[in-house]
Amino acid sequence: MSERIGWIGLGELGFPMASNLLDNGYRLTVYNRTRSKAELLAERGGQIATQPSEVAAKGGLVVSVLWDSDATESVVTPEFLSRMEGGVHIGMCTGSPEAAQRLAKLHAEHGSTYVEAPVFGRPEAARSRQLAIPYAGPPEAKNSVKPILTALGGYALFDMGEQPGVPTVIKQLGNFLIISMGRSLAEGLAIAEGAGVSPTAAVNMLAESLFPAPIFRNYGKALVEKKSILAASKIPAKDLSLFHRLAEGHARSNPITQTLLQLTLAVDK
């Protein structure tokens, strides 16, 4: 591939996704706050930028995989937008729909395009190229980025139309359901084990009948192996807070979200 892609963010998801692009022959210019992570990709041919704006180029493509909307908006500076003229920025953070709308409008005002594409999948899913990605943006831009989304690890791409914010709402909903399932499964298996039932047998039976879903099988396997997936991470509290804020902003009752958030915050203390 002759195309050079700008990349911002090499966290637990960003690094394997960027690595996938290198494996697929794409050239990268990479920025990360912790330079050592970028140096690992430089050993494989990537170029290192010293500022986020340096990864942007007129008519080019930039991918950002950052913690949230605030982090994404912080890199979209006037210099970044000036350098991005005619290009496409794929934003893959889990943030707010309002921020996605602001980013889409800001890029359009400066002659570039924002494609919103949050990611479903843990780091191991990124490494095995098993990510699910809902995305939205102008049709021409979406068509141009589909090969990139596939190359960075997306096995299932879902075109959600042109309205900014829609993929982010779906991402928040999905994360809420994952956290709900994870906590319910952990509690249920603990009770079953206390009653003398093998957690392995319970998960195997349920995952093959009532709940034949990858997320149930994967989380069930981790819980059987006494691995804690949701604890010791700031992500569940962040995601639940975002979903609670979304519900409150649209005057929707959210007692389950609030209960899960309280439980999560209590564990984090």
Side-chain angles (χ1 to χ4, degrees), residues 42-59:
E43 294 172 1
R44 298 173 52 195
Q47 292 185 2
I48 299 177
T50 59
Q51 298 292 333
S53 61
E54 292 177 8
V55 308
K58 290 187 183 298

Side-chain angles (χ1 to χ4, degrees), residues 69 72-73 76 89 93 98-108 114:
S69 298
T72 303
E73 290 186 293
V76 182
H89 174 194
C93 76
E98 294 81 10
Q101 292 161 9
R102 289 195 299 269
L103 285 162
K105 183 173 183 290
L106 187 61
H107 281 76
Y114 185 73

Side-chain angles (χ1 to χ4, degrees), residues 100-141:
Q101 292 161 9
R102 289 195 299 269
L103 285 162
K105 183 173 183 290
L106 187 61
H107 281 76
E109 290 172 347
H110 288 80
S112 58
T113 305
Y114 185 73
V115 173
E116 175 192 5
V119 181
F120 283 104
R122 293 173 54 79
E124 54 267 30
R127 290 189 288 271
S128 61
R129 304 171 189 241
Q130 292 294 304
L131 300 172
I133 305 174
Y135 63 108
E140 184 176 351

Side-chain angles (χ1 to χ4, degrees), residues 1-263:
M1 298 286 180
S2 61
E3 183 176 7
R4 178 172 292 279
I5 296 172
W7 192 278
I8 304 173
L10 295 172
E12 292 187 355
L13 278 179
F15 187 89
M17 290 159 66
S19 183
N20 288 341
L21 285 180
L22 288 175
D23 289 342
N24 278 286
Y26 289 92
R27 297 183 300 150
L28 297 183
T29 299
V30 181
Y31 172 79
N32 192 62
R33 286 187 305 174
T34 305
R35 185 183 173 90
S36 58
K37 288 188 176 181
E39 289 172 347
L40 293 173
L41 295 183
E43 294 172 1
R44 298 173 52 195
Q47 292 185 2
I48 299 177
T50 59
Q51 298 292 333
S53 61
E54 292 177 8
V55 308
K58 290 187 183 298
L61 178 70
V62 171
V63 181
S64 62
V65 189
L66 298 169
W67 174 252
D68 60 10
S69 298
D70 289 344
T72 303
E73 290 186 293
S74 74
V75 304
V76 182
T77 61
E79 182 181 3
F80 176 92
L81 290 165
S82 175
R83 293 172 64 105
M84 274 296 297
E85 184 180 349
V88 178
H89 174 194
I90 307 174
M92 308 191 79
C93 76
T94 300
S96 73
E98 294 81 10
Q101 292 161 9
R102 289 195 299 269
L103 285 162
K105 183 173 183 290
L106 187 61
H107 281 76
E109 290 172 347
H110 288 80
S112 58
T113 305
Y114 185 73
V115 173
E116 175 192 5
V119 181
F120 283 104
R122 293 173 54 79
E124 54 267 30
R127 290 189 288 271
S128 61
R129 304 171 189 241
Q130 292 294 304
L131 300 172
I133 305 174
Y135 63 108
E140 184 176 351
K142 286 188 295 186
N143 288 334
S144 71
V145 305
K146 282 178 67 176
I148 306 300
L149 295 177
T150 299
L152 59 78
Y155 85 99
L157 307 181
F158 298 90
D159 187 338
M160 305 311 300
E162 298 184 45
Q163 179 61 41
V166 172
T168 294
V169 172
I170 293 173
K171 170 64 172 169
Q172 289 187 17
L173 170 59
N175 285 354
F176 162 72
L177 294 173
I178 290 169
I179 296 166
S180 302
M181 183 280 301
R183 285 199 167 273
S184 297
L185 184 56
E187 183 174 312
L189 287 177
I191 293 170
E193 186 175 23
V197 174
S198 163
T200 301
V203 168
N204 288 345
M205 181 269 165
L206 293 170
E208 293 299 323
S209 56
L210 299 180
F211 306 104
I215 194 73
F216 191 94
R217 288 194 298 270
N218 294 340
Y219 275 55
K221 182 176 183 292
L223 289 167
V224 165
E225 295 173 354
K226 305 301 182 184
K227 295 178 181 177
S228 180
I229 293 180
L230 295 176
S233 170
K234 296 180 180 179
I235 295 175
K238 169 205 165 189
D239 291 343
L240 290 168
S241 295
L242 286 169
F243 203 54
H244 171 63
R245 194 180 311 154
L246 181 69
E248 295 289 293
H250 293 276
R252 299 294 180 177
S253 176
N254 60 112
I256 297 175
T257 304
Q258 293 182 70
T259 300
L260 287 169
L261 181 56
Q262 290 169 2
L263 290 169

